[in-house]
Amino acid sequence: MNHIRATRRGTSANPPCRFDTRRPEPFTDGWQGEDDLPPAKTVVTVDATHSIITRNDSPDVPFDRSINPYRGCEHGCVYCFARPSHAYLGLSPGLDFETRLFAKPDAPRLLEAELRHPRYRCAPIAIGTNTDPYQPIERERRVMRGILEVLSAFRHPVTITTKSALVLRDIDILAPMAAQGLAAVSVSVTTLDRDLSRILEPRASVPAMRLEAIRRLNAAGIPTACMVAPVIPFVTDHEFEAIIAAAKQAGATAASYILLRLPFEVKELFEAWLSEHMPQRKERVLDALRRMRGGKLYDATRGLRYTGTGAEAEVLAQRFRLALKRQGLENRRLHLDATLFRPPPRPGEQLSLPLL
């Protein structure tokens, strides 16, 4: 794998995407040292997409439409199951995924056009299901905020998943929407250990800030769940109950969990991360994953990919149920109202009169 000097990145590896027939090999000529490697800078390109709502019909996904304001994610979570999507752009799921980002500035305009289509039928839109809508570049780009402004104007329900406290910036939009049953948020908490979080998800909000986000969102009347994700055997699984308890104390109204997923190139990236940060634990972690994934490091079988199979996976599920019961939480989808949807009049457009 090619390597680049990476400061506060999830990985320094940049393996070729699985569709690339070329396989570059590293070569040292004796002149260049590790400190001379090019720095990993973030480059943002405009994504000239022509549509913004993505559809899916997967039976184990609790939504049929989603929006991704960005491709790639600067949070740099080494375990991110979305990394392989960068291969479709001809880029590496490794460091490219964290540093070569694509923003969709036309997303609000495209969304409005799609919502105004006569054949559009309203159902909750999920945001944050692939890459995080509140990753660091959102502070400047504000694509997510523009999307929320459109959804609010149309009274359209939305669910948001994030691991960033930047979501608090948009309370002024989300709180009025939540009061109408139109908005809910899930905050992902992987670990309560700040040092572990720094190497697992280097540019995401620290755990304390995520719990504070849950507290403030809940105080603003926005239904907020905690997603314990991913659960990593022998790395974070011992914190399972503590995370749920901390989320409850912060005001979470529900909780869920996802077992670590390692599709395609994520396997080798995660193995390399273990070799670097937890070499003595590496084989123990990987063996546990194989036992919970039918002998493989990943099993994409629908209905099983989120929780795994086998005795250890069942023990994890039992621990989750007991933790929920102990904290008085539920594992449920937050209900949203799709009956209020109505396209607002365009500027200068005459309002229709009610029929007598």
Side-chain angles (χ1 to χ4, degrees):
M1 289 191 286
N2 292 338
H3 288 264
I4 298 175
R5 180 158 51 89
T7 303
R8 285 197 64 204
R9 299 292 184 178
T11 180
S12 62
N14 219 31
C17 75
R18 59 190 177 280
F19 305 120
D20 197 338
T21 56
R22 299 167 298 175
R23 287 294 183 269
E25 296 182 5
F27 172 76
T28 301
D29 58 10
W31 289 102
Q32 188 180 54
E34 185 176 339
D35 292 338
D36 299 321
L37 292 172
K41 296 181 179 179
T42 299
V43 177
V44 183
T45 302
V46 170
D47 186 331
T49 185
H50 297 292
S51 62
I52 197 61
I53 300 178
T54 301
R55 308 277 180 162
N56 85 85
D57 58 0
S58 181
D60 63 346
V61 175
F63 54 85
D64 68 354
R65 64 201 71 184
S66 61
I67 293 175
N68 292 297
Y70 303 98
R71 295 190 186 194
C73 186
E74 201 175 7
H75 280 160
C77 306
V78 69
Y79 52 73
C80 182
F81 68 86
R83 284 181 176 271
S85 64
H86 242 43
Y88 296 110
L89 304 174
L91 297 173
S92 172
L95 198 58
D96 281 352
F97 180 78
E98 306 174 38
T99 59
R100 299 185 63 178
L101 312 180
F102 295 80
K104 303 177 183 179
D106 285 341
R109 178 184 61 81
L110 294 169
L111 176 60
E112 179 169 353
E114 292 183 43
L115 296 184
R116 287 191 184 279
H117 195 284
R119 289 197 294 271
Y120 182 78
R121 296 295 177 267
C122 182
I125 287 177
I127 306 181
T129 58
N130 195 46
T131 57
D132 201 311
Y134 288 106
Q135 59 180 286
I137 61 171
E138 168 63 16
R139 294 184 184 277
E140 175 187 350
R141 301 283 170 159
R142 299 173 71 86
V143 178
M144 178 59 176
R145 184 167 178 88
I147 289 171
L148 287 180
E149 289 171 342
V150 172
L151 293 174
S152 175
F154 279 73
R155 296 194 288 186
H156 194 294
V158 61
T159 62
I160 299 168
T161 302
T162 183
K163 57 187 65 176
S164 173
L166 183 57
V167 65
L168 297 174
R169 179 201 63 189
D170 293 336
I171 279 182
D172 62 319
I173 300 176
L174 292 171
M177 291 184 72
Q180 301 177 75
L182 297 176
V185 177
S186 289
V187 177
S188 174
V189 181
T190 313
T191 175
L192 299 177
D193 185 331
R194 182 188 178 105
D195 292 335
L196 177 58
S197 179
R198 182 177 57 82
I199 57 176
L200 260 181
E201 39 201 20
R203 298 198 176 197
S205 294
V206 298
M209 290 182 66
R210 297 186 217 180
L211 293 173
E212 176 64 10
I214 292 175
R215 188 191 68 77
R216 290 178 57 185
L217 289 166
N218 178 68
I222 302 164
T224 307
C226 173
M227 180 179 290
V228 187
V231 178
I232 307 175
F234 300 110
V235 178
T236 66
D237 62 333
H238 64 285
E239 298 184 73
F240 205 19
E241 291 81 0
I243 293 172
I244 293 174
K248 169 64 176 180
Q249 186 174 8
T253 55
S256 61
Y257 78 97
I258 296 176
L259 180 65
L260 176 66
R261 299 168 61 187
L262 297 176
F264 299 112
E265 295 92 340
V266 186
K267 296 184 189 71
E268 58 182 295
L269 291 170
F270 185 69
E271 287 187 56
W273 182 90
L274 286 171
S275 295
E276 179 180 358
H277 297 286
M278 298 183 176
Q280 296 173 330
R281 232 183 292 182
K282 177 181 177 180
E283 292 308 317
R284 191 179 185 190
V285 173
L286 297 178
D287 286 345
L289 282 172
R290 291 188 185 97
R291 291 193 298 270
M292 300 169 83
R293 294 293 189 188
K296 299 177 290 186
L297 281 180
Y298 183 55
D299 180 3
T301 302
R302 291 175 175 179
L304 301 177
R305 53 184 169 172
Y306 298 115
T307 57
T309 58
E312 288 165 287
E314 179 54 34
V315 168
L316 190 63
Q318 290 177 2
R319 287 175 58 191
F320 177 66
R321 290 191 291 267
L322 288 173
L324 289 187
K325 183 177 181 180
R326 191 176 300 119
Q327 299 300 329
L329 288 173
E330 296 180 276
N331 178 22
R332 61 178 176 83
R333 293 178 59 193
L334 301 173
H335 175 72
L336 297 176
D337 190 348
T339 66
L340 300 179
F341 174 76
R342 186 178 66 186
R346 294 183 176 91
E349 186 175 75
Q350 184 176 354
L351 294 173
S352 60
L353 295 175
L355 297 175
L356 298 178

